[in-house]
Amino acid sequence: MEYSYLKITVNVPVAGDRGEYTYLPAEGNTAADYQIGDVLEVPFGRQGMVKGYLTGFTRTTDLAADKLKEVGGKVSRQPVFDSRLLEALSRMGDYYDVSLLSLISAALPKGADSGGRQSRKVLAYSLNFPRERIEEVKEELNKQATAQLRVLEVLENSEEDWLPAVELLEAADTSRSTLISLEEKDLLRRKKLRLWRKPAYCLRHKGQERKSSGELESSKSQQEQGSSSEITLNQHQRQALEKIESELKIKDNPVFLLHGVTGSGKTEVYLRLIRKTLKQEKSAILLVPEISLTPYLVDFFYSRFPGTLALMHSGLSTGERLDEWERIREGEARLVIGARSAVFAPVKDPGLIIIDEEHENTYKQSNYPCYHARGAAVIRSQVEKFPVLLGSATPSLESYYFARQGHYSYISLPERAGEGEMPDRRIIDMKEEIKEGNYGILSAPLKLAIQRRLEEGEQVLLFLNRRGFASFILCQHCGETIKCNNCDITLTYHKGENSLRCHYCDYQRPVPEECPECSSKILQDFGAGTERVEDTVAGLFPGARVSRMDLDTTGRKDSHRKILSQVDQGEVDILIGTQMIAKGHDFHNITLVGVLGTDLILNLPDFRSAERTFQLINQVSGRAGRGSKPGEVLIQTYNPDNFVLQAARENLPEKFYQQELRLRENLFYPPVSRLVRILLRGEEENDLMKTAEKIRKSFAGSWYQRLKILGPAPSPLLKIRGEYRYHILLFFSSTAERMRYLPEVREEVEKLCSRGVELLVDVDPLSML
């Protein structure tokens, strides 16, 4: 029996959240004339004609005949997703308790559901023989045919197999008759080539030689053991690949956790797996936390897969992003590198997803739909049957726990590749510094170590995960601090621009000359940020070349690359920065790392603060000693006996993970439980308080008491961007229990919300603030 009706997910937010609607095919058509993923115009009440996505077919309907309406015309030339990706999105929606429409919207670049863009086709040429025969062919040509020889040399040196005729003629400085002559000699072939807009990473490589990166987990010393295309693997890398190969023979969709210390050569493992995947005529996706922070990683993979790589991230223009998506959908691009949303890339025959630095918070979307790229990748692999590789020097506690439980396959790279050794780590007790009369940002041992490194011609990295000059400005007469108008937080002092700025909503105001409350002029800045560290360091070491890398210094296009390049080329002696500088950079002359302000992260009101502190210290410590020179890490703290800092000093991740897991088990916190955070937001705090009281009473007299529930209570950051915030924490014993009961709990909370109160459900939340 053939299908008679179409199931359409309507692209209207409220309507789409309710699921699918049933429509008839257009007059003269049957359901067989449509495909899953078609974008159609459909009539939708007072909205008139709106876009909808074809997400299913059905043979029957409960709707009366006079209630059924026909779809309009097709909007897209081709389906924007296939049935397997749709099934994966549907399962993700069930897991994260979000609508299918919201995930479809997250998966599609702007313009993809509007028919896309008709790419221009141009005449292009390619060699009509293997490149290995190029010298032989040039020898056979008449030596007087210099123009023909130039054409062959341009094609020989091109990273692309096909070159548009216009580009080829310009590069070879010749005319069309030269190409015709080579065609007649059967040395060239031609075709119509679709012309795509080229993102910046393509343009950077145009005309450049292939070269390896300066920012790779495979250390430069290891790269020197062989050519840039064939590095000799060490024992642990070989064992990692062998274990992956053996598991792939017996499992369709295994998940691997590659736990490799900083500099252990994880990138080379990625490269080998991607290369094998592409040779099998399948596609691969490589997710990175932030593209802008890993420019050399993109360069590294582009130099090896120039014609088949596509980039997906927010830094591309709308047109570039759409063209890259089209290249992926049509199978022209088989390797996709991107941030969080690249997990939805419509690759042909997906064969592998790799998530680099899988512990990073940027993989979790904080606004609706609140999905995590790691979870989305695992769900997609279950549907489409391919492996997932999670890589990190400091795995998330969830991934570590799942590996130890046997849900993931655990693989270790315990040693650095090449000649680099792990740096020595030392804790500096800042209480002792105060006893010695040192109230400054830098301890005496750290200042001495910096001086010694500078004298040796080596580089220094100073890490503080707080930007600005001072944390806040305080009136010393009345004790008032200057807060943001929109958020429940003090404004950070930025000395360079003489302004106070909110790092949550970007509200700014000039520094006042007197206290807004009491008009006193006794205003003093307190605390330290990267700007103050830069100012202090420049004063202590006047001959040193100092650079700063944080959000304030990297706002301009390509600024990340410029700063990293200066460090790589030895043009910077001391680099100061936030967590940006902890991300996988491989600089062989950095021998000293100073970790400042560890207590700021450690004491945040969030159950993950210990885990994040351990990860950040280990990541930034890994920047030291990656070459032949030994490295050293000095960790400044007022709490030297804290188990997190001691585990980081000893570089014993197992010690940290085991102790932190015991604490989580005692409190029934993730990964032992499955956590959901329901965030209530509204412009009037009184409305939130009333809603919270109604929810509290409802929960008290119902079966919900069987669950562990905290709240509703004010969030640690009560007000952000003009909205007050309360939250409820729900703890479930399993994913099945959560998926069974959460929809009912959410519906109950929605019914109790006062007017003006919005609700956001965050499954597996990463932030409690």
Side-chain angles (χ1 to χ4, degrees), residues 120-152:
R120 191 161 54 95
K121 287 191 174 183
V122 297
L123 184 65
Y125 285 86
S126 176
L127 296 174
N128 200 28
F129 54 86
R131 289 197 190 203
E132 295 75 25
R133 289 191 55 228
I134 188 71
E135 293 303 324
E136 174 191 340
V137 171
K138 287 195 289 187
E139 283 293 326
E140 294 173 357
L141 270 181
N142 188 325
K143 297 300 181 184
Q144 303 300 317
T146 55
Q148 294 180 25
L149 287 169
R150 288 199 304 270
V151 168
L152 295 182

Side-chain angles (χ1 to χ4, degrees), residues 400-532:
Y400 175 85
Y401 178 77
F402 292 148
R404 288 308 186 205
Q405 293 289 311
H407 302 301
Y408 297 169
S409 295
Y410 182 82
I411 301 172
S412 176
L413 295 178
E415 297 177 0
R416 282 187 163 176
E419 58 186 343
E421 297 292 335
M422 297 302 290
D424 292 328
R425 306 181 188 190
R426 184 155 55 107
I427 291 178
I428 307 298
D429 187 348
M430 296 302 287
K431 297 193 300 292
E432 296 300 318
E433 290 293 305
I434 290 176
K435 289 179 183 178
E436 296 295 323
N438 179 12
Y439 294 88
I441 301 169
L442 305 181
S443 62
L446 182 54
K447 286 188 281 190
L448 187 64
I450 293 172
Q451 185 63 50
R452 187 168 63 247
R453 302 295 176 172
L454 294 177
E455 289 172 356
E456 294 292 329
E458 297 166 6
Q459 293 169 297
V460 176
L461 189 153
L462 299 178
F463 167 78
L464 174 61
N465 205 31
R466 172 172 282 173
R467 58 193 173 104
F469 189 84
S471 305
F472 60 93
I473 285 184
L474 179 138
C475 174
Q476 294 184 301
H477 181 263
C478 71
E480 190 70 22
T481 57
I482 303 176
K483 288 190 171 184
C484 174
N485 287 357
N486 306 313
C487 307
D488 183 33
I489 194 165
T490 55
L491 294 172
T492 301
Y493 173 43
H494 289 255
K495 183 180 179 181
E497 57 193 40
N498 194 36
S499 71
L500 297 174
R501 186 188 302 173
C502 176
H503 291 171
Y504 286 87
C505 72
D506 208 32
Y507 167 80
Q508 296 182 50
R509 60 166 293 175
V511 178
E513 295 182 0
E514 58 184 35
C515 174
E517 291 297 315
C518 71
S519 301
S520 169
K521 296 185 181 293
I522 312 175
L523 300 177
Q524 180 63 47
D525 56 83
F526 288 88
T530 49
E531 189 181 4
R532 175 169 247 150

